[in-house]
Amino acid sequence: MSTIFSKIIRGEVPADIVYQDDRVTCFRDINPAAPVHLLIVPNKEIATVNDLGEQDERLAGHMLLVAKELAEREGIAQSGYRLIINCNRDGGQEVHHLHVHLLGGHRMGPMVLRR
Ligand code: 5GP
């Protein structure tokens, strides 16, 4: 099974790709929740954070460093931004291909809804 993100990574589905290297692909979210909303996705299909292994330690760190670099490029590093990784049902994960959301460009508000 290939995820929609794998199809984007392989160029089979169009997306606004802002960065790509041999380990990650980054593109604009199709339904942005903030003025800047990018997704940092490993080229390797890893379903969730739960599926990260020891062998992925450098990849996981790379995702964070790329997110930092993209925040700089998008001009939101100083104003600030939020990085989110959703996991499974309670985390609200819709696409089961690991990704970091990079959100910014305005005040992000409370971290989570309190109820
Ligand atoms: P999740 O809820 O899994 O953490 O986030 C999935 C994100 O992927 C959502 O914000 C959704 O808008 C985005 N998304 C889903 N399908 C596509 C697509 O085909 N293209 C792009 N660019 N984003 C997508």
Side-chain angles (χ1 to χ4, degrees):
M1 269 289 286
S2 194
T3 68
I4 184 72
F5 289 173
S6 282
K7 290 178 181 154
I8 288 172
I9 290 162
R10 291 197 297 263
E12 295 164 10
V13 167
D16 187 354
I17 293 176
V18 296
Y19 177 81
Q20 187 165 42
D21 64 23
D22 60 333
R23 287 180 283 173
V24 297
T25 301
C26 310
F27 46 90
R28 295 193 192 280
D29 196 291
I30 203 167
N31 185 22
V36 175
H37 189 170
L38 302 181
L39 302 172
I40 295 98
V41 186
N43 295 339
K44 174 182 169 186
E45 245 177 57
I46 299 168
T48 77
V49 170
N50 291 339
D51 301 295
L52 280 168
E54 290 291 328
Q55 70 281 6
D56 300 314
E57 188 172 343
R58 288 191 69 237
L59 172 63
H62 184 59
M63 290 171 70
L64 211 52
L65 289 174
V66 168
K68 180 196 85 162
E69 178 62 28
L70 291 177
E72 189 74 48
R73 281 197 205 176
E74 294 286 323
I76 58 171
Q78 294 313 311
S79 53
Y81 53 91
R82 184 169 294 165
L83 301 177
I84 297 174
I85 304 177
N86 296 320
C87 183
N88 282 341
R89 184 197 59 212
D90 285 358
Q93 184 176 7
E94 289 172 3
V95 177
H96 282 72
H97 186 150
L98 180 66
H99 50 283
V100 175
H101 295 256
L102 166 60
L103 295 145
H106 65 194
R107 294 278 175 98
M108 296 308 306
M111 186 171 65
V112 291
L113 283 176
R114 294 181 188 274
R115 53 186 163 181

